[in-house]
Amino acid sequence: MMADVSTLRRVHIDLGPESYDVVIGEGALEGAGPSLAQLCPRGRAIIVADPAALAHHRARLEQVLAQHGLTPLYLEIPGGEQAKSFHRLEALCAELLDANVERQECVIAFGGGTIGDLTGFAAAIVKRGVKFVQIPTTLLAQVDSSVGGKTGINTARGKNLIGAFHQPSLVIADLTLLASLPARELRAGYAEIIKAALIGDRALFTRLDTLGLEALNGEGLAEAVEAAVAFKGDIVRQDEKEAGVRALLNLGHTFGHAFEAEAEKGTLIHGEAVALGLALAFRYSARLSLCAQSDARAVEAHLAKVGLPAFIAELPGGPYEAEGLLNRMKDDKKNKGGVITLILARAIGDAFITSECASEDVLAFLHDELKPQ
Ligand code: GLY
């Protein structure tokens, strides 16, 4: 496709010497071709690709590479959480070493968040660090995991417990790559956009609510992705290594992760659990009189408008029970001294971090949420 470079949006992630751009829009792949060529000085593009994504977009990707004199070297790894294992990491590092990757070249991740997380971690440790580029092919990865430099793998003891902060050199968020995405995946990715608005941008929430389903298409989507990426970029600029304010990006995730861990395997998508988690964080905040009931209702109404779950009964993968969920929340990485850390809200656009919620109170809330509404 021809890229109309003038319509592309560019968000600069300002991290001093580690700064980079996120190029957003339909045709971002073509538009970012010259930058990609600069990052591949040996004339080859080492691409860690999910074969499912590659099947849809290979011809177009190769056309862009050819236009810039780049030859692809594909290292194919199926996406999904199973990609984020020691075994896959070891195999990928071996392949990168066999390809004699050099520090001045970059490794390109082409796929969803799991491919980006694995590739980024391999790039962080091979030869003590090579560059990498993210070309996310899911909305979730475009608005969240590809930006901010969190990379890593899972272990039997939990998700993302082994990893590194390693910033990409470029992120290409081409919205036409999302055309092959099932509607359910697109909606789930959108939950991370709503999350950004709920944490710190009430005006964005109002705008998204006005757009409704239009925020999932065309210019509405481009605007929403740009706003979410700019919001995240600003938080990462303030707190790259998550010593403080970056933990806000976990709004909805402490509840959400608990549902993901308890759900019947393969039934739930991350963004769906996050959507419910957002509604729960606001209802719990309202229950504690921290935020207005009307804000909690507005969050529920918006989730319903875009087809995302706001109540436990709407979430696939159940039945769920309160004690099991609370135990999962107690395992959360953010907790300190065994006390649950939650991200709650004073209002839409005003989230905060707290460790002052008693487990018994969270448990009582979950019991109430599990009662038929
Ligand atoms: N996904 C949360 C973060 O990047 O900090």
Side-chain angles (χ1 to χ4, degrees), residues 143-150 165 192 195 232 235-236 239-240 242 246-250 253 270:
V143 297
D144 189 42
S145 59
S146 67
V147 179
K150 279 190 182 175
F165 287 98
E192 298 282 358
K195 178 195 80 176
K232 179 164 184 180
I235 298 243
V236 171
D239 177 23
E240 183 188 356
E242 201 169 277
R246 185 165 179 169
L248 288 173
L249 295 174
N250 288 299
H253 284 63
H270 174 68

Side-chain angles (χ1 to χ4, degrees), residues 116-355:
D117 286 3
L118 172 73
T119 306
F121 189 34
I125 57 177
V126 163
K127 299 196 171 172
R128 296 207 179 90
V130 299
K131 293 179 188 165
F132 87 113
V133 168
Q134 294 265 24
I135 308 184
T137 59
T138 65
L139 182 57
L140 191 96
Q142 290 190 351
V143 297
D144 189 42
S145 59
S146 67
V147 179
K150 279 190 182 175
T151 71
I153 57 169
N154 305 326
T155 77
R157 286 166 182 76
K159 284 171 74 171
N160 298 321
L161 293 182
I162 307 282
F165 287 98
H166 187 52
Q167 299 294 338
S169 299
L170 173 71
V171 180
I172 303 174
D174 190 316
L175 303 182
T176 50
L177 297 177
L178 306 179
S180 54
L181 214 59
R184 186 178 170 201
E185 291 275 355
L186 194 72
R187 275 199 306 273
Y190 176 73
E192 298 282 358
I193 297 180
I194 309 172
K195 178 195 80 176
L198 295 179
I199 294 169
D201 192 343
R202 191 175 187 113
L204 175 60
F205 179 78
T206 306
R207 176 80 186 122
L208 292 173
D209 203 40
T210 307
L211 284 169
L213 284 172
E214 278 178 46
L216 288 159
N217 280 303
E219 267 310 289
L221 182 60
E223 182 186 334
V225 171
E226 180 184 22
V229 168
F231 179 81
K232 179 164 184 180
D234 195 40
I235 298 243
V236 171
R237 181 185 55 73
Q238 295 171 56
D239 177 23
E240 183 188 356
K241 302 275 166 74
E242 201 169 277
V245 73
R246 185 165 179 169
L248 288 173
L249 295 174
N250 288 299
L251 179 66
H253 284 63
T254 313
F255 286 113
H257 282 154
F259 284 92
E260 277 184 283
E262 289 288 282
E264 193 190 325
K265 212 169 164 9
T267 51
L268 197 54
I269 307 181
H270 174 68
E272 293 172 338
V274 170
L276 173 66
L278 295 172
L280 290 174
F282 270 79
R283 277 202 294 279
Y284 190 48
S285 301
R287 177 180 166 115
L288 299 178
S289 302
L290 296 166
C291 103
Q293 290 286 352
S294 55
D295 276 6
R297 297 288 93 81
V299 174
E300 286 161 16
H302 183 69
L303 292 170
K305 197 186 272 187
V306 295
L308 283 167
F311 295 92
I312 296 175
E314 296 168 356
L315 195 74
Y320 299 98
E321 54 93 28
E323 281 77 10
L325 292 166
L326 183 76
N327 284 335
R328 299 291 188 171
M329 291 175 77
K330 286 181 176 167
D331 284 342
D332 195 89
K333 281 200 291 299
K334 293 186 297 305
N335 296 342
K336 289 191 191 108
V339 180
I340 294 176
T341 298
L342 279 175
I343 317 301
L344 297 179
R346 295 183 199 93
I348 287 173
D350 186 7
F352 66 98
I353 304 159
T354 178
S355 301

